[in-house]
Each structure stands twice: as C-alpha cells, then as structure tokens.
Amino acid sequence: MSKPWTGYCPVDRGLVLTVLVNTDVQDPAEVQLPMWHMAVLLLAGLATGALAWWLTSGGPRSAPTRLSPALLLTEGEAAAWSRTMISRALLLTAGAVTLCGLFAVTFGPWQAGLLPLVLGLTCAPFAGVRVTVDRRGLTVASTVLPRPRLALSLGSIVSASSVQVNAMGDFGGWGYRIRPNRRGVVLRSGEALSVRTAGGREYVVTVDDSTTAAALLNGLVNRHAAGA
C-alpha cells in the first residue's frame, strides 16, 4: 500500500514554499507540494546560473587607474556632464523574477508568488541609473525613482579617475556593493568612474565616458578648493 504524499524531500525541505502551500492544511494526508512548483524553481535556478556564467566568463580584469587631468574652469564658468547607464542583464533578471511571481500568483497559492513579485518590482527601477557631475559634485540616482541616491559634494571629494572593474572579481556581483573603504554602483564590468573622498573611501560607478566625467569633476574640485 502506497504512502500518501507528504511533501517531504531532503532536497527541498528547507524551502519556504513547502510551508506556504500547506499553511491551512489540517489533515497530514492532504499535505502536498505541486510538482509544477518544483519545475519553476528548477528552471529559475538554471536560468540564473546560466546568466551568471555568461556574464562572468571572459570578463575584463582590473586594470591600472587611468589618471584624468583636471579640466580647467574659470571662476563663474558653468559645466556639467551626465550619462545614463542601463543594465540589460539586471533588467532581464528582474523581469524574469517578476514573471515567475505573477505566474505563481495567478495559477497557484498567491503566497508562493508574493516574494519574487516584490523582489522583481523592487529591483527593476535600479537596473538603470543616471550619473551626473556638476557644481554640486557627483550624483547617482535611479532613472525612475528620485530616492535613494548617492550624492558626493565637491567639498568631500579629493580626486577622480577612470578605472576598469570586474563586477564579480572586484565587487562580488552587481548592484550597490559594499567593500572595506570601497563602495560601488556596479551595473556591468568595464569602464567606471572612481572617486576618492577626504575620509579615505573610494566610490566606483560603472559608466561610459568616465574619463571626461573624472576630468570635469577634478576641475570642479580644484576650483572649489581654490575658492574655499
């Protein structure tokens, strides 16, 4: 005589999904874990692993800093630089997680899809950022939301330069990264703007044309220091 399905498996016993699906079950014989849930989790894991392998394989290695000379600015002269960066990889990942959440909410217990739905919708706005250098200093903000944002004033900046970074090798991943005395807004590997502050901390932002941004920022910092 076969035993009733109890939803227990050594591989997935730690999954919160098992608890959510059987929250209101009174009879142990009715405990279950629909196998399509397992298929969704397996496909999501495979897709994430494949994406991580594709993004990290053959990526650029860290290179020496490219020193950026200061752009000469006269008193009262206005100058600004701005560039938008969008990570297709993060955007696609956030979209895939959101779709998985919607699928689970629509065709299964809504509790199972709530977490991935919230995570996907939360991460999507930060797949694109606008980097701005102007008389206020350096500002990095989402292209969709005004907050949170990274803002460094001219008075707190010592120097700026252009560097090459490897997202996984240098920061261990993508997004807003925290390392000892180092912070990073990392959307990809490659060219980045590096800013050092008076407190000894380095801020790295992956963005194209970082040499121009660093030169302008150095010029603004020098003018600010001369007028202080």
Side-chain angles (χ1 to χ4, degrees), residues 178-183 201:
I178 299 177
R179 290 291 182 270
N181 294 323
R182 202 180 194 196
R183 302 290 186 270
R201 181 170 292 174

Side-chain angles (χ1 to χ4, degrees), residues 72-84:
L72 296 179
L73 298 171
T74 60
E75 185 64 32
E77 183 179 5
W81 176 94
S82 184
R83 181 65 67 97
T84 297

Side-chain angles (χ1 to χ4, degrees), residues 90 150 165-188 201-206:
L90 290 178
L150 170 65
V165 300
N166 182 290
M168 185 62 69
D170 296 332
F171 289 95
W174 300 263
Y176 183 72
R177 315 301 296 180
I178 299 177
R179 290 291 182 270
N181 294 323
R182 202 180 194 196
R183 302 290 186 270
V185 180
V186 183
L187 298 186
R188 54 151 172 79
R201 181 170 292 174
E202 179 189 15
Y203 290 85
V204 177
V205 183
T206 53

Side-chain angles (χ1 to χ4, degrees), residues 63-71 159-164 192-194 196 210-215 218:
T65 300
R66 284 189 290 168
L67 299 178
S68 300
L71 182 65
S159 65
S161 57
S162 175
V163 299
Q164 292 287 324
L193 172 65
S194 171
R196 294 191 177 275
S210 59
T211 303
T212 302
N218 284 330

Side-chain angles (χ1 to χ4, degrees), residues 4-7 21-22 24-33:
W5 168 253
T6 62
V21 171
N22 300 286
D24 299 324
V25 174
Q26 302 297 325
D27 186 354
E30 297 178 358
V31 174
Q32 58 179 334
L33 178 61

